Amino acid sequence: GESVGLHLPTLSVQEGDNSIINCAYSNSASDYFIWYKQESGKGPQFIIDIRSNMDKRQGQRVTVLLNKTVKHLSLQIAATQPGDSAVYFCAENRDYGQNFVFGPGTRLSVLP
Amino acid sequence: ETGVTQTPRHLVMGMTNKKSLKCEQHLGHNAMYWYKQSAKKPLELMFVYSLEERVENNSVPSRFSPECPNSSHLFLHLHTLQPEDSALYLCASSRQSGTGGYTFGSGTRLTVV
């Protein structure tokens, strides 16, 4: 179940530093967004979501920021750990429907 | 385990074979999905089932045939595949509203030889 072979943008950060992963979404009518994490050998896993009536939402060590003006979403990970190494996808949705559109993904590599 | 179980985890098949991928969820979700993940297109939606009825078929070739016998089970029947069909096939489920997103299985790594 690994994403090996995907030619993804890669972000390399030092362990303990903060990470910022960015995503540009396509549909200005999208009103619900999710970040997923995909580790090697696993399917994508829900991290955090945000609705369009919010600009920021915090979870445990993660924060999602939404800028609707420029259709930009970011995921901030505080004190990045080796276990955070994975591919991260943003997904957008409209009207809380069933169909999400996924971004291409960013590979996060945590350096010791 | 996420609550969505896919079998087999790995599958190698010849172009003339017929095989099936299986997905099972017991999360009480009533929508299920097949996605294809490959090097060229990371996550491609293939099929959507809502309340056991197919609601979307995303221009998928007929050599892929889905089946949803009940809200907990989803199959993808494969026949006369091509090498370019080699990919990771992911099953997901969700509430019908989509709130909370999808719960994905770990996928079936398919290699067509």
Side-chain angles (χ1 to χ4, degrees), chain A residues 49-91:
Chain A
D49 60 359
I50 188 168
R51 299 179 183 179
S52 59
N53 61 352
M54 303 172 70
D55 298 321
K56 178 180 179 179
R57 189 160 189 233
Q58 288 185 290
Q60 189 176 16
R61 272 199 318 116
V62 294
T63 300
V64 54
L65 299 177
L66 175 62
N67 185 331
K68 296 180 286 293
T69 303
V70 295
K71 295 190 288 186
H72 185 266
L73 198 66
S74 69
L75 178 70
Q76 300 178 358
I77 304 173
T80 311
Q81 302 170 359
D84 295 325
S85 293
V87 176
Y88 290 82
F89 295 95
C90 65

Side-chain angles (χ1 to χ4, degrees), chain A residues 23-34 36 71 73 90-94 97 99-103, chain B residues 102:
Chain A
C23 178
Y25 63 92
S26 57
N27 189 343
S28 57
S30 293
D31 54 14
Y32 181 51
F33 305 88
I34 297 179
Y36 287 90
K71 295 190 288 186
L73 198 66
C90 65
E92 60 183 296
N93 181 286
R94 193 174 73 170
N99 295 354
F100 285 82
V101 175
F102 287 82
Chain B
Y102 300 155

Side-chain angles (χ1 to χ4, degrees), chain A residues 1-8 32 34 36 38 41-46 49 51 89 96-100 102-104, chain B residues 9 31 33 35 37-39 42-43 45 48 50 55-56 88 90 95-102 104-106 109:
Chain A
E2 71 277 10
S3 301
V4 171
L6 287 169
H7 300 290
L8 299 171
Y32 181 51
I34 297 179
Y36 287 90
Q38 186 173 21
K42 298 181 180 179
Q45 183 180 7
F46 175 99
D49 60 359
R51 299 179 183 179
F89 295 95
Y96 299 97
Q98 295 169 320
N99 295 354
F100 285 82
F102 287 82
Chain B
R9 289 296 307 273
Y33 311 80
Y35 274 86
Q37 187 176 41
S38 64
L43 276 164
L45 178 64
V48 180
S50 177
V55 296
E56 185 153 343
L88 179 69
L90 288 161
R95 299 187 192 104
Q96 197 172 3
S97 68
T99 303
Y102 300 155
F104 282 90
S106 295
R109 171 65 64 186

Side-chain angles (χ1 to χ4, degrees), chain A residues 98, chain B residues 4-5 23-25 29-34 45 47-53 55 68 70-75 91-94:
Chain A
Q98 295 169 320
Chain B
V4 178
T5 304
C23 177
E24 186 173 351
Q25 62 92 9
H29 291 168
N30 48 27
M32 297 187 77
Y33 311 80
W34 280 115
L45 178 64
F47 300 104
V48 180
Y49 275 84
S50 177
L51 298 171
E52 304 159 38
E53 182 178 333
V55 296
C68 186
N70 56 61
S71 60
S72 299
H73 295 86
L74 185 66
F75 295 89
C91 173
S93 69
S94 74

Side-chain angles (χ1 to χ4, degrees), chain B residues 8 11-22 62-65 76-82 110-113:
Chain B
L11 178 62
V12 179
M13 61 185 288
M15 289 189 283
T16 59
N17 291 160
K18 290 185 179 180
K19 296 286 184 183
S20 296
L21 310 184
K22 180 182 177 182
S62 59
R63 56 186 184 270
F64 296 90
S65 175
L76 187 63
H77 304 300
L78 316 172
H79 64 97
T80 59
L81 295 192
Q82 304 298 312
L110 173 67
T111 303
V112 181
V113 298

